[in-house]
Structures are given as C-alpha cells and as structure tokens.
Amino acid sequence: MRPLPGGDLNEIPLNETDKRVAAALMRVNHAGEICAQSALYHGQALTARNPEVRRSLEHAGMQEN
C-alpha cells in the first residue's frame, strides 16, 4: 500500500462559485476522456486484422460509451 501523494497537504477552502467551476471542469474532462477512449478503440478496431480482436475492440468502445 502506497501513501496518497499530497495526503499531508491541507485542502484549500473553496467558495460556492469555485466549487461549481471545479465540478464543471471535471465533467468536461471526464466527457473528453470517454470520447477519446471510445475513438481510440474504434480506430484500433478499424485497423485490426484479426476479426476476434476487432470485435473485442468494438465491444470495449461501446462499453466506454
């Protein structure tokens, strides 16, 4: 078990506006990650020569959505 990086740092208090902005940024970041992962699987599936690998990649891309 590794220690949590920054676990000994104090949290900076945020006001409600800052909390809303941080939450919105995390939603945007998360949506971007999901889209990027889905596109990655889709792109790999397009170039896969092995049909089983292609199906697995397509399935993984669908799961990301």
Side-chain angles (χ1 to χ4, degrees), residues 2 4 12 15-16 26 28 32-34 38 42 45 57 63:
R2 298 183 324 188
L4 176 66
I12 299 171
N15 60 38
E16 288 305 311
M26 289 305 296
V28 169
E33 287 294 326
I34 298 301
S38 179
H42 182 69
L57 289 165
Q63 285 181 322

Side-chain angles (χ1 to χ4, degrees), residues 9-34:
L9 299 175
N10 294 326
E11 282 192 34
I12 299 171
L14 299 176
N15 60 38
E16 288 305 311
T17 301
D18 290 338
K19 288 179 184 180
R20 283 194 299 276
V21 169
L25 291 172
M26 289 305 296
R27 283 192 298 276
V28 169
N29 181 57
H30 182 69
E33 287 294 326
I34 298 301

